[in-house]
PDB file of all heavy atoms in Angstrom:
ATOM      1  N   ARG A 232      20.191 -23.679 -13.702  1.00 97.00           N
ATOM      2  CA  ARG A 232      21.389 -23.523 -14.535  1.00 97.00           C
ATOM      3  C   ARG A 232      22.152 -24.838 -14.636  1.00 97.00           C
ATOM      4  O   ARG A 232      22.594 -25.227 -15.702  1.00 97.00           O
ATOM      5  CB  ARG A 232      22.313 -22.444 -13.942  1.00 97.00           C
ATOM      6  CG  ARG A 232      23.355 -21.937 -14.907  1.00 97.00           C
ATOM      7  CD  ARG A 232      24.405 -21.022 -14.164  1.00 97.00           C
ATOM      8  NE  ARG A 232      25.088 -21.763 -13.092  1.00 97.00           N
ATOM      9  CZ  ARG A 232      25.995 -22.706 -13.233  1.00 97.00           C
ATOM     10  NH1 ARG A 232      26.298 -23.136 -14.394  1.00 97.00           N
ATOM     11  NH2 ARG A 232      26.530 -23.289 -12.189  1.00 97.00           N
ATOM     12  N   ILE A 233      22.281 -25.561 -13.504  1.00 98.00           N
ATOM     13  CA  ILE A 233      23.008 -26.848 -13.539  1.00 98.00           C
ATOM     14  C   ILE A 233      22.228 -27.898 -14.343  1.00 98.00           C
ATOM     15  O   ILE A 233      22.783 -28.587 -15.144  1.00 98.00           O
ATOM     16  CB  ILE A 233      23.232 -27.341 -12.080  1.00 98.00           C
ATOM     17  CG1 ILE A 233      24.139 -26.350 -11.329  1.00 98.00           C
ATOM     18  CG2 ILE A 233      23.847 -28.738 -12.121  1.00 98.00           C
ATOM     19  CD1 ILE A 233      24.161 -26.605  -9.824  1.00 98.00           C
ATOM     20  N   LEU A 234      20.922 -27.941 -14.140  1.00 98.00           N
ATOM     21  CA  LEU A 234      20.099 -28.937 -14.917  1.00 98.00           C
ATOM     22  C   LEU A 234      20.174 -28.599 -16.404  1.00 98.00           C
ATOM     23  O   LEU A 234      20.242 -29.503 -17.238  1.00 98.00           O
ATOM     24  CB  LEU A 234      18.654 -28.901 -14.421  1.00 98.00           C
ATOM     25  CG  LEU A 234      18.400 -29.206 -12.937  1.00 98.00           C
ATOM     26  CD1 LEU A 234      16.924 -29.144 -12.611  1.00 98.00           C
ATOM     27  CD2 LEU A 234      18.967 -30.575 -12.545  1.00 98.00           C
ATOM     28  N   ASN A 235      20.179 -27.310 -16.690  1.00 97.00           N
ATOM     29  CA  ASN A 235      20.251 -26.931 -18.116  1.00 97.00           C
ATOM     30  C   ASN A 235      21.575 -27.376 -18.747  1.00 97.00           C
ATOM     31  O   ASN A 235      21.641 -27.794 -19.886  1.00 97.00           O
ATOM     32  CB  ASN A 235      20.167 -25.357 -18.159  1.00 97.00           C
ATOM     33  CG  ASN A 235      20.301 -24.854 -19.583  1.00 97.00           C
ATOM     34  OD1 ASN A 235      19.624 -25.318 -20.501  1.00 97.00           O
ATOM     35  ND2 ASN A 235      21.170 -23.862 -19.750  1.00 97.00           N
ATOM     36  N   ALA A 236      22.648 -27.351 -17.954  1.00 97.00           N
ATOM     37  CA  ALA A 236      23.942 -27.742 -18.503  1.00 97.00           C
ATOM     38  C   ALA A 236      24.020 -29.226 -18.742  1.00 97.00           C
ATOM     39  O   ALA A 236      24.794 -29.665 -19.644  1.00 97.00           O
ATOM     40  CB  ALA A 236      25.074 -27.330 -17.503  1.00 97.00           C
ATOM     41  N   ILE A 237      23.293 -30.061 -18.011  1.00 97.00           N
ATOM     42  CA  ILE A 237      23.405 -31.523 -18.239  1.00 97.00           C
ATOM     43  C   ILE A 237      22.280 -32.062 -19.109  1.00 97.00           C
ATOM     44  O   ILE A 237      22.427 -33.150 -19.647  1.00 97.00           O
ATOM     45  CB  ILE A 237      23.474 -32.312 -16.903  1.00 97.00           C
ATOM     46  CG1 ILE A 237      22.183 -32.195 -16.092  1.00 97.00           C
ATOM     47  CG2 ILE A 237      24.647 -31.847 -16.086  1.00 97.00           C
ATOM     48  CD1 ILE A 237      22.238 -33.026 -14.845  1.00 97.00           C
ATOM     49  N   GLN A 238      21.243 -31.266 -19.373  1.00 97.00           N
ATOM     50  CA  GLN A 238      20.192 -31.788 -20.276  1.00 97.00           C
ATOM     51  C   GLN A 238      20.760 -31.887 -21.689  1.00 97.00           C
ATOM     52  O   GLN A 238      21.565 -31.048 -22.128  1.00 97.00           O
ATOM     53  CB  GLN A 238      18.982 -30.863 -20.266  1.00 97.00           C
ATOM     54  CG  GLN A 238      17.769 -31.423 -20.977  1.00 97.00           C
ATOM     55  CD  GLN A 238      16.611 -30.446 -21.081  1.00 97.00           C
ATOM     56  OE1 GLN A 238      16.846 -29.224 -21.214  1.00 97.00           O
ATOM     57  NE2 GLN A 238      15.374 -30.872 -20.999  1.00 97.00           N
ATOM     58  N   ALA A 239      20.269 -32.903 -22.426  1.00 96.00           N
ATOM     59  CA  ALA A 239      20.744 -33.055 -23.830  1.00 96.00           C
ATOM     60  C   ALA A 239      20.437 -31.794 -24.636  1.00 96.00           C
ATOM     61  O   ALA A 239      19.401 -31.154 -24.443  1.00 96.00           O
ATOM     62  CB  ALA A 239      20.044 -34.233 -24.501  1.00 96.00           C
ATOM     63  N   PRO A 240      21.367 -31.388 -25.542  1.00 95.00           N
ATOM     64  CA  PRO A 240      21.049 -30.271 -26.402  1.00 95.00           C
ATOM     65  C   PRO A 240      19.825 -30.598 -27.289  1.00 95.00           C
ATOM     66  O   PRO A 240      19.601 -31.750 -27.629  1.00 95.00           O
ATOM     67  CB  PRO A 240      22.319 -30.103 -27.283  1.00 95.00           C
ATOM     68  CG  PRO A 240      23.145 -31.322 -27.072  1.00 95.00           C
ATOM     69  CD  PRO A 240      22.657 -32.004 -25.814  1.00 95.00           C
ATOM     70  N   TYR A 241      19.090 -29.593 -27.632  1.00 96.00           N
ATOM     71  CA  TYR A 241      17.905 -29.766 -28.492  1.00 96.00           C
ATOM     72  C   TYR A 241      16.909 -30.827 -27.937  1.00 96.00           C
ATOM     73  O   TYR A 241      16.308 -31.548 -28.681  1.00 96.00           O
ATOM     74  CB  TYR A 241      18.307 -30.175 -29.895  1.00 96.00           C
ATOM     75  CG  TYR A 241      19.465 -29.435 -30.489  1.00 96.00           C
ATOM     76  CD1 TYR A 241      20.696 -30.031 -30.702  1.00 96.00           C
ATOM     77  CD2 TYR A 241      19.311 -28.075 -30.820  1.00 96.00           C
ATOM     78  CE1 TYR A 241      21.740 -29.337 -31.210  1.00 96.00           C
ATOM     79  CE2 TYR A 241      20.376 -27.357 -31.371  1.00 96.00           C
ATOM     80  CZ  TYR A 241      21.586 -28.010 -31.556  1.00 96.00           C
ATOM     81  OH  TYR A 241      22.637 -27.293 -32.054  1.00 96.00           O
ATOM     82  N   ALA A 242      16.771 -30.862 -26.595  1.00 97.00           N
ATOM     83  CA  ALA A 242      15.947 -31.933 -26.015  1.00 97.00           C
ATOM     84  C   ALA A 242      14.524 -31.872 -26.488  1.00 97.00           C
ATOM     85  O   ALA A 242      13.854 -32.888 -26.663  1.00 97.00           O
ATOM     86  CB  ALA A 242      16.002 -31.832 -24.461  1.00 97.00           C
ATOM     87  N   MET A 243      13.984 -30.637 -26.722  1.00 97.00           N
ATOM     88  CA  MET A 243      12.596 -30.551 -27.116  1.00 97.00           C
ATOM     89  C   MET A 243      12.547 -30.409 -28.659  1.00 97.00           C
ATOM     90  O   MET A 243      12.988 -29.412 -29.199  1.00 97.00           O
ATOM     91  CB  MET A 243      11.909 -29.312 -26.465  1.00 97.00           C
ATOM     92  CG  MET A 243      12.073 -29.279 -24.976  1.00 97.00           C
ATOM     93  SD  MET A 243      11.596 -30.772 -24.067  1.00 97.00           S
ATOM     94  CE  MET A 243       9.847 -30.805 -24.341  1.00 97.00           C
ATOM     95  N   SER A 244      12.016 -31.419 -29.295  1.00 97.00           N
ATOM     96  CA  SER A 244      12.041 -31.453 -30.751  1.00 97.00           C
ATOM     97  C   SER A 244      11.001 -30.454 -31.305  1.00 97.00           C
ATOM     98  O   SER A 244      10.074 -30.055 -30.616  1.00 97.00           O
ATOM     99  CB  SER A 244      11.694 -32.856 -31.239  1.00 97.00           C
ATOM    100  OG  SER A 244      10.327 -33.134 -30.964  1.00 97.00           O
ATOM    101  N   THR A 245      11.168 -30.053 -32.562  1.00 97.00           N
ATOM    102  CA  THR A 245      10.287 -29.112 -33.239  1.00 97.00           C
ATOM    103  C   THR A 245       8.794 -29.565 -33.181  1.00 97.00           C
ATOM    104  O   THR A 245       7.968 -28.764 -32.787  1.00 97.00           O
ATOM    105  CB  THR A 245      10.720 -28.874 -34.672  1.00 97.00           C
ATOM    106  OG1 THR A 245      12.003 -28.269 -34.624  1.00 97.00           O
ATOM    107  CG2 THR A 245       9.752 -27.978 -35.432  1.00 97.00           C
ATOM    108  N   PRO A 246       8.482 -30.858 -33.496  1.00 96.00           N
ATOM    109  CA  PRO A 246       7.063 -31.264 -33.393  1.00 96.00           C
ATOM    110  C   PRO A 246       6.528 -31.030 -31.999  1.00 96.00           C
ATOM    111  O   PRO A 246       5.368 -30.631 -31.808  1.00 96.00           O
ATOM    112  CB  PRO A 246       7.078 -32.746 -33.816  1.00 96.00           C
ATOM    113  CG  PRO A 246       8.318 -32.870 -34.651  1.00 96.00           C
ATOM    114  CD  PRO A 246       9.294 -31.923 -34.112  1.00 96.00           C
ATOM    115  N   VAL A 247       7.309 -31.391 -30.972  1.00 96.00           N
ATOM    116  CA  VAL A 247       6.850 -31.225 -29.588  1.00 96.00           C
ATOM    117  C   VAL A 247       6.671 -29.761 -29.214  1.00 96.00           C
ATOM    118  O   VAL A 247       5.649 -29.348 -28.635  1.00 96.00           O
ATOM    119  CB  VAL A 247       7.829 -31.906 -28.595  1.00 96.00           C
ATOM    120  CG1 VAL A 247       7.457 -31.576 -27.171  1.00 96.00           C
ATOM    121  CG2 VAL A 247       7.806 -33.432 -28.807  1.00 96.00           C
ATOM    122  N   VAL A 248       7.622 -28.918 -29.632  1.00 96.00           N
ATOM    123  CA  VAL A 248       7.500 -27.492 -29.297  1.00 96.00           C
ATOM    124  C   VAL A 248       6.216 -26.951 -29.918  1.00 96.00           C
ATOM    125  O   VAL A 248       5.446 -26.254 -29.250  1.00 96.00           O
ATOM    126  CB  VAL A 248       8.727 -26.722 -29.840  1.00 96.00           C
ATOM    127  CG1 VAL A 248       8.512 -25.208 -29.773  1.00 96.00           C
ATOM    128  CG2 VAL A 248       9.960 -27.157 -29.042  1.00 96.00           C
ATOM    129  N   GLU A 249       5.909 -27.292 -31.148  1.00 95.00           N
ATOM    130  CA  GLU A 249       4.754 -26.748 -31.814  1.00 95.00           C
ATOM    131  C   GLU A 249       3.457 -27.307 -31.200  1.00 95.00           C
ATOM    132  O   GLU A 249       2.438 -26.581 -31.012  1.00 95.00           O
ATOM    133  CB  GLU A 249       4.783 -27.039 -33.330  1.00 95.00           C
ATOM    134  CG  GLU A 249       5.973 -26.301 -33.964  1.00 95.00           C
ATOM    135  CD  GLU A 249       5.911 -26.219 -35.470  1.00 95.00           C
ATOM    136  OE1 GLU A 249       4.997 -26.829 -36.107  1.00 95.00           O
ATOM    137  OE2 GLU A 249       6.829 -25.551 -36.015  1.00 95.00           O
ATOM    138  N   CYS A 250       3.498 -28.581 -30.818  1.00 94.00           N
ATOM    139  CA  CYS A 250       2.356 -29.197 -30.208  1.00 94.00           C
ATOM    140  C   CYS A 250       2.061 -28.534 -28.880  1.00 94.00           C
ATOM    141  O   CYS A 250       0.932 -28.210 -28.520  1.00 94.00           O
ATOM    142  CB  CYS A 250       2.686 -30.692 -30.025  1.00 94.00           C
ATOM    143  SG  CYS A 250       1.565 -31.577 -29.037  1.00 94.00           S
TER     144      CYS A 250
END
Side-chain angles (χ1 to χ4, degrees):
R232 195 191 59 71
I233 297 166
L234 301 180
N235 178 50
I237 64 176
Q238 190 186 35
Y241 315 110
M243 307 309 293
S244 69
T245 296
V247 170
V248 169
E249 296 194 357
C250 169

